[in-house]
Amino acid sequence: MSASVTDSAAPHRDDYWAAVSAGDAARAHAVAAGALADGTGVETFLQEVVVEAQRRVGELWATNDWSVAQEHAATAVSEAVVGRLADTLPVGSGPLLLVGCAEREWHAMPALVLTTTLRARGLDAVYTGASTSRDELVSAILDRGPRAVLLSASLSSSLPRLRRQVEAVRGTGTPVVVGGRAFTHGRRWRTLGATAYAASPAHAVQVLADLPRHVGAAAPLTHPGAAESRTVQAGADRVVRDVLAALDLGHLALPPDDWRVVLATHTSHVVDSVASALLCDDASVLVEARTWLGEVVTGRGGDPAAVDRLWEALAHELRDFPAALAMLRA
């Protein structure tokens, strides 16, 4: 990144962080307005100030320097700032683009930043919201006839639901572009049947230029793990319940930021990550989930072996699923 881009945002970064960390939406809006008035571009402000602040928020929660309440308050401020920026931009020219999130994916910031970036570049982009259902997507497609649908997934546990969205969108003949932290490895998006992958908002603009006008239905997934994935998804609630019971984590009267509560809360994320790994035929999904959860637990002073015990309990519950067992033990 050039020095000029970084320097144009630098004077506003600390002021914005002070506002976000205090949960002060009015002050954050004022910083954004001041930055734009000083000549900082919308896209530069988003990437160099807002996205950087959100990265910092996530790190502070992960290391237990911030509570979950602080993380939620700060995130809400930035989401409001980005939403207001998007609303101030004129409707662009060209065909409509729909931007949303995977079902049950509440990390809305990447999709909001993408929508606002597209608008700042003069494109007609509409944000459909967090956790956009398949029915909502199809209804919007049939009503409005977009050029493409762009879907964001920050959590690898969201990938099975995103696959169902891809199937629904492609069933209308509409291209679908995916992006977000869940796609750390390139083959995941291909396996899930997306038309294209975008690593960043700027990359999304480039990808859109090369999309086909019409796509066929998503090809069925026939690898052995795909069938197991569907079964794991169907029984996920039971698996979570039994794993929590085995670890004695099912009935905890502790503060929400206690490591045991965090571990119990994220057990469903791990089970869904098993389904994702199976669906994508990619064991690295589980490696990433285990590493991240271990860091979060130990960062809160938790037992370093707790995640190992969770994996053992999960392997016991999924002992009749050979592909899942192989991935859990990879």
Side-chain angles (χ1 to χ4, degrees), residues 95-97 145-150 169-170 172-178 189-190 193-197 204-217:
L96 174 68
L97 303 168
R147 170 71 178 88
V149 172
L150 299 91
V169 172
R170 289 193 55 163
T172 69
T174 308
V176 54
V177 180
V178 298
W189 70 268
R190 295 183 186 276
T195 313
Y197 161 74
V205 175
Q206 298 172 8
V207 166
L208 288 168
D210 297 323
L211 286 180
R213 288 289 171 184
H214 185 276
V215 296

Side-chain angles (χ1 to χ4, degrees), residues 146-310:
R147 170 71 178 88
V149 172
L150 299 91
L151 295 173
S152 171
S154 295
L155 302 176
S156 57
S157 52
S158 298
L159 295 179
R161 291 178 288 277
L162 185 136
R163 162 64 183 184
R164 293 193 287 270
Q165 288 171 303
V166 167
E167 290 175 324
V169 172
R170 289 193 55 163
T172 69
T174 308
V176 54
V177 180
V178 298
R181 289 197 310 272
F183 296 96
T184 55
H185 290 273
R187 68 186 184 126
R188 292 179 192 172
W189 70 268
R190 295 183 186 276
T191 304
L192 294 178
T195 313
Y197 161 74
S200 67
H203 186 210
V205 175
Q206 298 172 8
V207 166
L208 288 168
D210 297 323
L211 286 180
R213 288 289 171 184
H214 185 276
V215 296
L221 301 181
T222 58
H223 59 274
E228 283 194 18
S229 177
R230 290 188 287 271
T231 306
V232 170
Q233 291 172 61
D237 290 344
R238 178 193 59 78
V239 173
V240 170
R241 183 181 65 249
D242 291 348
V243 167
L244 291 177
L247 298 177
D248 197 23
L249 293 174
H251 305 283
L252 298 176
L254 295 167
D257 293 296
D258 184 276
W259 70 267
R260 288 157 292 189
V261 175
V262 171
L263 184 65
T265 301
H266 285 85
T267 296
S268 60
H269 165 71
V270 174
V271 173
D272 284 346
S273 292
V274 173
S276 295
L278 291 166
L279 195 66
C280 296
D281 196 23
D282 184 358
S284 68
V285 172
L286 283 175
V287 174
E288 293 166 7
R290 187 171 190 167
T291 300
W292 175 82
L293 189 56
E295 291 172 350
V296 169
V297 167
T298 56
R300 285 163 168 70
D303 181 358
V307 175
D308 294 335
R309 290 195 293 272
L310 189 156

